[in-house]
Amino acid sequence: MSKTYNVAIAGATGAVGQEMIRTLEKRAFPVAELRLLASSRSAGRFMTFRGESIPVGVLDHDSFEGIDFALFSAGGSRSLEYAPAAVRAGAIVIDNSSAYRMDPAVPLVVPEVNPEDVTDHDGIIANPNCTTIIMLVALQPLHQLSPIRRIIVSTYQSASGAGAQAMEELQNQTEEVLQNQAVTKSAFPHQIAFNLFSHNSTIDDSGYCEEERKMVYETRKILHDDTIRVCPTTVRVPVLRAHSEAIVIEQDRKISVEEARAVLAKAPGVVVVDDPVANHFPMPVEVTGTDDVAVGRIRDDLSHENGLALFACGDQLLKGAALNAVQIAELLVAS
Ligand code: A2P
């Protein structure tokens, strides 16, 4: 009989946690027991996995006895507080928060990009930031053709990146605006319906916000290249759950549009959507609920001889979070 594993999800009731449950089921991950954990607010709640109704328990230090894989998506402070307890209990933690990403002892893994890093851990493996994952799945095939030296990226980030309440806020505000009512703000500092704003994470002395700094430093860690230059502008837009990114890269040698399209068409986790005649390119509504990162608008950078421009979209809750975490667990099972 093939081996099965006990899996816990910390933050099971959240936007990412719910997708983790679905992804484990959809990919037939060999789960023996699934333990669902959230805050005391969710006590008494049940969630469905493989047709079975499972009670949601309260996340605590003793929640991880007998667990093989603990998937965390309950925010950074919960990861810092409870992930060490999970490791002490013998679990391997796959953490979706930013708490451990830049810790040199913690691998930061995108399975399509640096799968070999997954085994070099002390019990915790970090899932990168959603924008970094989506960008690097699109760029890795091009980076393999010729090293990328510089990236200029502008993001169009969905509400889902800020959690389930933020998604609800976008829907509620949309109704409020359409009914000529004042908008209610809670999850976001600004109106998100019929608006967009610069990502609201903290800006430091560099002039870049935390989300942008994540794209810079996580990219360098995942690609094992501290010289790669990244200039991001991160923007929240009124889209429910898929992120888009306009990316311009500079490489060692000139990659033609045809060469780029051909290598992307064969790349794992990528689907090329690039039809200038029909004006059909990657769109959030078309990638929602799908696993692959869509890439299109592949064209020469008219401002640099070794430059290439493209547009990518990925489901933030899936490839940007839950799917990447489950793929990491699959790599560990395979290794
Ligand atoms: P709960 O639903 O009980 O509040 P999202 O990113 O979509 O906002 O989801 C956050 C997830 O993290 C939810 O499952 C939420 O549970 C969980 N969570 C938030 N705060 C805590 C906490 N203090 N202890 C345990 N889980 C928490």
Side-chain angles (χ1 to χ4, degrees):
M1 211 178 110
S2 54
K3 190 161 167 34
T4 55
Y5 300 87
N6 295 333
V7 179
I9 300 178
T13 52
V16 172
Q18 293 177 49
E19 288 303 334
M20 285 172 164
I21 299 172
R22 282 191 207 112
T23 303
L24 288 169
E25 178 165 345
K26 191 171 141 205
R27 296 175 73 89
F29 189 84
V31 176
E33 180 204 343
L34 183 63
R35 202 171 296 170
L36 303 179
L37 305 164
S39 77
S40 51
R41 291 181 291 272
S42 298
R45 211 175 137 178
F46 285 79
M47 299 176 83
T48 306
F49 175 65
R50 297 192 305 216
E52 194 190 329
S53 191
I54 300 178
V56 178
V58 177
L59 174 63
D60 210 340
H61 293 95
D62 58 8
S63 295
F64 300 96
E65 222 42 60
I67 290 295
D68 299 299
F69 294 112
L71 311 184
F72 270 72
S73 192
S77 45
R78 259 70 62 194
S79 295
L80 287 171
E81 183 168 358
Y82 299 107
V87 175
R88 278 195 299 277
I92 296 178
V93 169
I94 301 167
D95 183 29
N96 191 50
S97 82
S98 61
Y100 298 98
R101 285 183 194 148
M102 295 317 294
D103 183 333
V106 174
L108 186 61
V109 177
V110 182
E112 292 82 352
V113 179
N114 59 336
E116 65 285 353
D117 289 345
V118 85
T119 48
D120 189 19
H121 67 85
D122 295 329
I124 301 178
I125 297 161
N127 221 23
N129 187 43
C130 44
T131 49
T132 311
I133 296 176
I134 290 165
M135 178 173 82
L136 292 186
V137 168
L139 293 187
Q140 171 69 358
L142 305 170
H143 186 58
Q144 281 177 323
L145 276 182
S146 170
I148 293 173
R149 298 299 177 202
R150 182 173 178 226
I151 304 169
I152 299 171
V153 55
S154 304
T155 69
Y156 308 73
Q157 297 183 220
S158 60
S160 60
Q165 281 182 342
M167 295 170 79
E168 211 179 305
E169 185 157 308
L170 169 57
Q171 286 167 312
N172 290 342
Q173 284 187 1
T174 303
E175 282 177 29
E176 287 168 341
V177 172
L178 290 174
Q179 286 165 17
N180 258 331
Q181 294 167 357
V183 298
T184 314
K185 285 180 281 188
S186 154
F188 289 121
H190 306 291
Q191 176 179 327
I192 182 68
F194 301 95
N195 191 25
L196 57 81
F197 48 86
S198 192
H199 196 283
N200 55 291
S201 53
T202 323
I203 294 182
D204 75 1
D205 289 344
S206 69
Y208 287 81
C209 69
E210 196 187 353
E211 186 80 353
E212 292 163 349
R213 297 196 300 274
K214 286 175 186 171
M215 294 190 83
V216 176
Y217 297 113
E218 293 182 17
T219 294
R220 290 178 178 166
K221 179 167 176 175
I222 295 163
L223 296 181
H224 299 284
D225 181 356
D226 281 342
T227 66
I228 194 158
R229 288 168 294 161
V230 186
C231 177
T233 304
T234 55
V235 178
R236 191 74 76 186
V237 296
V239 167
L240 214 48
R241 60 174 276 174
H243 286 356
S244 305
E245 305 186 21
I247 308 169
V248 182
I249 56 172
E250 183 184 324
Q251 292 172 273
D252 259 4
R253 76 170 171 89
K254 173 69 193 164
I255 301 296
S256 72
V257 170
E258 293 69 32
E259 216 179 339
R261 202 176 278 135
V263 78
L264 285 164
K266 289 186 293 193
V270 171
V271 59
V272 174
V273 180
D274 201 21
D275 185 348
V277 177
N279 198 3
H280 187 194
F281 301 109
M283 283 185 275
V285 287
E286 289 191 348
V287 299
T288 291
T290 72
D291 290 350
D292 289 338
V293 171
V295 183
R297 297 289 335 267
I298 305 164
R299 62 204 192 279
D300 288 323
D301 171 4
L302 299 179
S303 70
H304 195 283
E305 66 262 24
N306 287 0
L308 195 73
L310 49 90
F311 193 76
C313 279
D315 187 311
Q316 185 272 327
L317 294 177
L318 290 176
K319 188 55 200 168
L323 171 62
N324 200 75
V326 173
Q327 285 177 308
I328 289 173
E330 290 171 349
L331 280 178
L332 291 164
V333 166
S335 69

